Amino acid sequence: MQRKMDLLPQISFSILMALSLRPRHGYEIMKQAEEDSLGKVKMGPGALYTAIKQLAGEGLIEETDTGNKDRRRYYKLTKKGWEKLNAELEYYHNVVKIAKHRTAYENFGWQNV
Amino acid sequence: MSPARRFRIYRRLLNLYPAAFRREYGEQLLQTIADMVDDAPSPAERFAVWLRISLDFPLTVCKEHFQVIGDRMKAKKQQGVGRVTLISTALFLLPIIIVTINRLLMLSGPRRGVPTYYLIVTSAIFPLLAVALAGSTLLRLWRGNGAVRPSLRQAGPLVFILLASLVLLCWIISQDISYYNLTH
């Protein structure tokens, strides 16, 4: 039997997406999330670290040493984080596929799909 | 200058977050705010940044505290007490809420609401149930040198609820009789 998939909240998903490119610190994550969502996801610092705490607690992200001398902490995806991100992306890919199929059916009928 | 010194007010406000969260992420929060403010080129954008922070702050403080309460309750639930505490508290609070709403209804018009006297009598069932629930759970959890037999522990909730119902019934009947005597 297939296990039920728990989708991540929007902010958590955006954080994983931002960290999929390279390790980042808090503000970089915020900026990347905003950029990835075309300005739609704008989180405050509290929301960011609440989500980071949750993601770190679930073992999806972890702190990493980048060798920088500043006070900022950098985060990266763990193996589990990568798996979760891929599962989420696959889910959204399927949703878009179904939605496109439905739109085509609505517009042109079954014969043309 | 370090972010902690630059944002003294915000650093004090950070104390409103739960201690564990503050210890873990307090400095990072300040650093992120410093980055946000430094990255805003104009006063208008800086204002927008502070507006975002002001809206975000109370929400996340509440969220973190609820998270702490939730975690504590989860831990207690594992011991079998958390849910009972919550239900008992809710049952104790219910009559107060009911009577308050009724009072407001009565104030809003002479024909609205039920006389408070009857409401208090009928809503008394909630505190009694709460006592029954809490008592039975304590009995169930009590592990005193085999003084309470397992069968009695299992029957505990039923015994307490029956006793509570009996007390309530007696009370309602007595109140009803005195109300009848008053009106006739």
Side-chain angles (χ1 to χ4, degrees):
Chain A
M1 204 174 91
Q2 204 173 8
R3 276 187 65 200
K4 192 184 148 204
M5 184 186 165
D6 290 323
L7 285 174
L8 287 169
Q10 179 70 65
I11 289 182
S12 302
F13 177 73
S14 302
I15 293 172
L16 293 192
M17 278 289 285
L19 293 177
S20 66
L21 295 169
R22 61 182 165 85
R24 290 174 193 276
H25 61 73
Y27 183 54
E28 278 183 339
I29 295 173
M30 279 171 84
K31 277 204 302 187
Q32 189 61 46
E34 202 173 323
E35 205 181 305
D36 289 346
S37 65
L38 306 173
K40 287 200 172 77
V41 174
K42 284 184 179 178
M43 55 184 117
L48 171 76
Y49 283 101
T50 304
I52 284 179
K53 182 188 134 195
Q54 200 181 344
L55 291 170
E58 287 171 18
L60 301 178
I61 62 170
E62 64 185 2
E63 269 181 54
T64 181
D65 187 17
T66 54
N68 287 350
K69 298 275 181 237
D70 59 14
R71 292 191 189 88
R72 296 173 184 91
R73 271 191 225 157
Y74 286 74
Y75 298 92
K76 67 169 185 178
L77 286 178
T78 59
K79 190 171 171 271
K80 199 177 162 191
W82 275 111
E83 284 168 7
K84 181 73 181 165
L85 180 62
N86 284 330
E88 294 262 328
L89 290 173
E90 200 184 316
Y91 168 79
Y92 286 120
H93 176 73
N94 284 333
V95 169
V96 171
K97 214 162 75 178
I98 291 166
K100 273 185 183 168
H101 189 270
R102 255 180 223 162
T103 319
Y105 167 67
E106 296 248 326
N107 290 341
F108 309 112
W110 278 114
Q111 290 80 9
N112 299 311
V113 175
Chain B
M1 196 189 286
S2 75
R5 288 191 68 186
R6 276 176 70 191
F7 306 112
R8 262 174 290 179
I9 297 170
Y10 192 82
R11 195 186 55 179
R12 285 201 183 134
L13 284 173
L14 278 182
N15 288 325
L16 293 173
Y17 279 109
F21 183 83
R22 203 171 56 234
R23 273 195 301 272
E24 187 65 28
Y25 298 105
E27 283 300 314
Q28 292 305 303
L29 264 167
L30 286 170
Q31 183 62 58
T32 305
I33 289 169
D35 289 340
M36 285 169 82
V37 173
D38 290 345
D39 207 28
S42 63
E45 287 201 39
R46 267 197 292 280
F47 176 75
V49 163
W50 279 111
L51 190 69
R52 196 199 294 188
I53 293 165
S54 320
L55 292 173
D56 168 79
F57 177 74
L59 288 175
T60 49
V61 165
C62 292
K63 194 178 170 186
E64 276 307 311
H65 278 287
F66 279 126
Q67 182 84 44
V68 171
I69 293 168
D71 289 346
R72 271 188 206 153
M73 281 178 63
K74 231 182 259 175
K76 278 185 184 170
K77 193 176 151 191
Q78 282 163 1
Q79 297 164 10
V81 181
R83 194 180 293 172
V84 173
T85 313
L86 183 72
I87 296 170
S88 306
T89 315
L91 288 173
F92 263 111
L93 288 176
L94 254 175
I96 300 168
I97 296 164
I98 292 171
V99 171
T100 313
I101 292 171
N102 189 57
R103 262 292 155 89
L104 291 173
L105 280 173
M106 285 174 82
L107 285 175
S108 67
R111 284 178 183 276
R112 287 182 184 172
V114 187
T116 315
Y117 150 76
Y118 255 119
L119 258 178
I120 291 171
V121 171
T122 46
S123 59
I125 194 167
F126 299 118
L128 284 172
L129 274 178
V131 171
L133 206 61
S136 62
T137 311
L138 281 176
L139 192 65
R140 193 161 51 81
L141 293 173
W142 187 40
R143 290 175 189 171
N145 304 327
V148 182
R149 278 184 292 176
S151 55
L152 184 58
R153 262 189 212 158
Q154 279 168 6
L158 196 67
V159 172
F160 270 92
I161 287 170
L162 274 175
L163 276 174
S165 309
L166 199 69
V167 172
L168 179 74
L169 197 68
C170 292
W171 190 19
I172 290 176
I173 290 170
S174 67
Q175 294 296 317
D176 219 25
I177 290 167
S178 54
Y179 184 73
Y180 181 82
N181 288 339
L182 274 174
T183 49
H184 288 81

